Amino acid sequence: PCSRPLLAAALGSAGRRPLLRRPRPPPGPAAAAGLSSGAGEAAEGADAAPAMLRHLLLKLRATGPITVAEYMREALTNPGQGYYTRRGDIGQSGDFITSPEISQVFGELVGVWCVSEWVAAGKPSALRLVELGPGRGTLAGDIVRVFSQLASLLSKCDVSVHLVEVSPKLSESQALTLTGGQVQSSPKDTAAYMRGLTRAGIPVFWYRDVQDVPTGYSCFVAHEFFDALPIHKFQRTEKGWREVLVDADPDAPGQLRFVLSPASTPAALNFIQPEETRDHVEVCPEAGAIIQSLACRIERDGGAALVADYGHDGTKTDTFRGFRKHRLHDVLKAPGTADLTADVDFSYLRKMAQGRAATLGPIKQRLFLKNMGIDLRLQVLLQNAPDAATREQLRLSYDVLMNPTKMGDRFHFFALLPHHRLERPPRSQQGAPSPPLPPVAGFTELVLK
Ligand code: SAH
């Protein structure tokens, strides 16, 4: 009764919100930030920029050049002026758009994935949905709706939602999406800084750090989260590896530029492997630490983690770029007014799981969604669409998610699961061969019976 097509078919039949188009443009030549800041656009409408830039220039004067990781952390999540703290404008009218904002089907299928892993784990008595970097709360909202639609399956399960978010502005949006804004703040609380109830009565909690989320069987979801975490950048030179740093430009007052560290840095010594063949490498230690902690939790408590992002398997070099109003934006211009991002290195995430959890993927979004039954879901929505305009929107949003030239091939899914989920024990206790393990949804081809 819990096969993927049946789970997907059990979902409601209505399109819910207007469907949007316009994902981030693919990185063009301007995205290659390289070692010069280039001639980017002026700091138009840059309310946060002067304050952030002033702050950075003072800091640079006091400490000398800073790592790209520190620059990125300041520009994105500085508590006063960071991009996500103050702006974080996701959506059609904002700076970039993400898959959950394009179509409700995306979140529904991720919800089905969580339920199908929970079923495969033997229906534990509690299910925590933990989302890292939930943006406007759209994905969590779509997943929770799936939980409600599959209420008969989950009726005896204690379901709760745990959101890891550092941005006060975005946590407000999430609260509005999930609870209609009915939340209680507890800023002094060391664990959850806010809590509320969804309209269906599911408790929701907010944290600043995944370490604060209570342990127990959990399904972790991270969509376009890891690409927002700070990266270190390294350049191979004749004298060995040097770290790329951000400094004030002495020739252009009020502007920033990239420089190379004069000697090796602790990060270069720690993060560059002796067998590295690339000349330019980006490493995100914070992503590594988070994956390590998810892998430990999954090893101890069971559960699953689904990471979806654009990225590569340890092959790409310079992917650091900025986005503002759906256009590429010079990463060093008007910090605090643009989203900064770098492709996720899935090979590094796999390594940082340290064998504590099994890993699956990365697999292209197009294949993952197909394996999850997106075509069936689309058919149901098309059949029930009230008019031709809705049908057209459904088809267009499907195309954005699935088309290899749009998001289909650029985004990848990667999962962490307990080893016992993938490796069949040779014999049961009675000595009989153990039953076959159910396939992991999304990562294996969908077979319709
Ligand atoms: N998942 C959403 C939003 C992606 S944008 C979507 O796909 O639409 C990145 C999200 O991560 C934002 O919510 C941002 O505020 C959050 N974020 C960025 N850095 C973070 C950090 N260090 N800890 C927790 N959340 C962070």
Side-chain angles (χ1 to χ4, degrees):
C2 303
S3 71
R4 267 174 276 157
L6 284 176
L7 279 179
L11 303 180
S13 60
R16 182 179 41 83
R17 56 183 141 82
L19 301 152
L20 306 160
R21 290 165 273 143
R22 291 194 72 185
R24 281 176 176 141
L35 294 177
S36 84
S37 76
E41 68 193 76
E44 82 208 50
D47 49 327
M52 168 61 78
L53 192 58
R54 265 200 315 278
H55 163 71
L56 285 168
L57 290 168
L58 282 172
K59 188 177 178 129
L60 292 169
R61 198 183 303 160
T63 67
I66 56 174
T67 62
V68 172
E70 191 167 357
Y71 173 73
M72 211 173 156
R73 188 173 297 112
E74 288 281 3
L76 292 182
T77 56
N78 175 291
Q81 303 291 337
Y83 170 77
Y84 284 118
T85 321
R86 284 187 45 129
R87 190 165 151 142
D89 227 342
I90 306 165
Q92 179 87 315
S93 61
D95 298 311
F96 62 97
I97 188 148
T98 59
S99 295
E101 303 290 337
I102 285 168
S103 166
Q104 68 181 74
V105 177
F106 185 87
E108 289 171 349
L109 295 178
V110 173
V112 168
W113 191 86
C114 295
V115 175
S116 91
E117 275 313 300
W118 171 81
V119 170
K123 303 186 186 171
S125 59
L127 167 59
R128 297 174 199 281
L129 169 70
V130 184
E131 189 181 353
L132 312 179
R136 305 207 303 190
T138 309
L139 177 58
D142 289 338
I143 297 175
V144 165
R145 205 177 59 258
V146 167
F147 289 174
S148 299
Q149 289 177 341
L150 301 176
S152 56
L153 197 58
L154 287 159
S155 60
K156 294 203 188 76
C157 179
D158 177 12
V159 178
S160 53
V161 177
H162 304 261
L163 305 178
V164 180
E165 176 61 73
V166 286
S167 160
K169 181 166 184 277
L170 285 171
S171 59
E172 248 174 59
S173 299
Q174 293 148 20
L176 207 58
T177 306
L178 290 166
T179 72
Q182 300 298 307
V183 285
Q184 285 174 291
S185 298
S186 35
K188 299 242 156 58
D189 195 327
T190 47
Y193 64 84
M194 198 161 77
R195 59 193 67 206
L197 284 180
T198 67
R199 291 174 189 89
I202 297 175
V204 190
F205 303 87
W206 279 262
Y207 313 81
R208 288 193 185 84
D209 195 310
V210 70
Q211 302 285 6
D212 298 331
V213 178
T215 54
Y217 182 91
S218 306
C219 189
F220 299 93
V221 173
H223 184 260
E224 288 216 38
F225 167 74
F226 284 102
D227 71 274
L229 297 181
I231 50 152
H232 287 269
K233 283 170 85 69
F234 305 100
Q235 177 73 39
R236 193 195 291 276
T237 71
E238 280 168 7
K239 296 187 211 122
W241 285 97
R242 295 290 181 260
E243 184 158 4
V244 179
L245 303 172
V246 174
D247 197 7
D249 188 339
D251 301 325
Q255 303 234 9
L256 301 171
R257 62 166 187 171
F258 287 117
V259 294
L260 285 183
S261 63
S264 191
T265 60
L269 293 172
N270 279 325
F271 296 123
I272 300 290
Q273 303 301 316
E275 64 274 14
E276 181 58 63
T277 54
R278 288 169 291 174
D279 288 337
H280 190 95
V281 172
E282 296 170 340
V283 183
C284 182
E286 218 168 288
I290 292 173
I291 284 292
Q292 226 171 20
S293 113
L294 299 189
C296 286
R297 283 176 180 236
I298 289 170
E299 182 181 41
R300 198 182 48 220
D301 305 325
L306 190 61
V307 174
D309 229 308
Y310 44 80
H312 58 92
D313 225 0
T315 50
K316 283 204 187 170
T317 55
D318 182 7
T319 72
F320 185 35
R321 54 193 188 267
F323 286 93
R324 190 183 151 124
K325 296 277 172 218
H326 303 272
R327 306 179 75 126
L328 283 162
H329 176 97
D330 186 324
V331 288
L332 293 184
K333 284 271 167 356
T337 68
D339 182 31
L340 299 182
T341 149
D343 281 20
V344 172
D345 179 351
F346 290 105
S347 70
Y348 179 66
L349 301 193
R350 196 181 301 118
K351 198 172 102 201
M352 293 311 284
Q354 294 177 320
R356 290 177 185 279
T359 64
L360 281 178
I363 169 175
K364 286 174 180 163
Q365 168 156 310
R366 166 168 71 82
L367 293 176
F368 179 86
L369 295 178
K370 209 165 202 55
N371 291 339
M372 288 303 303
I374 191 171
D375 292 326
L376 280 173
R377 184 71 187 126
L378 178 71
Q379 288 315 317
V380 172
L381 290 174
L382 285 174
Q383 274 159 23
N384 292 284
D387 50 46
T390 311
R391 280 192 289 279
E392 178 62 5
Q393 281 210 316
L394 283 165
R395 286 201 191 89
L396 283 172
S397 60
Y398 172 95
D399 183 61
V400 176
L401 294 183
M402 298 291 284
N403 192 320
T405 64
K406 295 177 183 166
M407 287 169 144
D409 275 2
R410 282 179 56 217
F411 280 78
H412 295 85
F413 280 74
F414 173 83
L416 298 180
L417 294 160
H419 284 291
H420 60 75
R421 176 69 182 85
L422 301 177
E423 287 158 25
R424 192 174 159 195
R427 301 252 152 213
S428 71
Q429 276 167 352
Q430 287 74 35
S434 38
L437 293 165
V440 178
F443 292 88
T444 46
E445 215 172 304
L446 177 62
V447 183
L448 293 177
K449 297 199 186 106

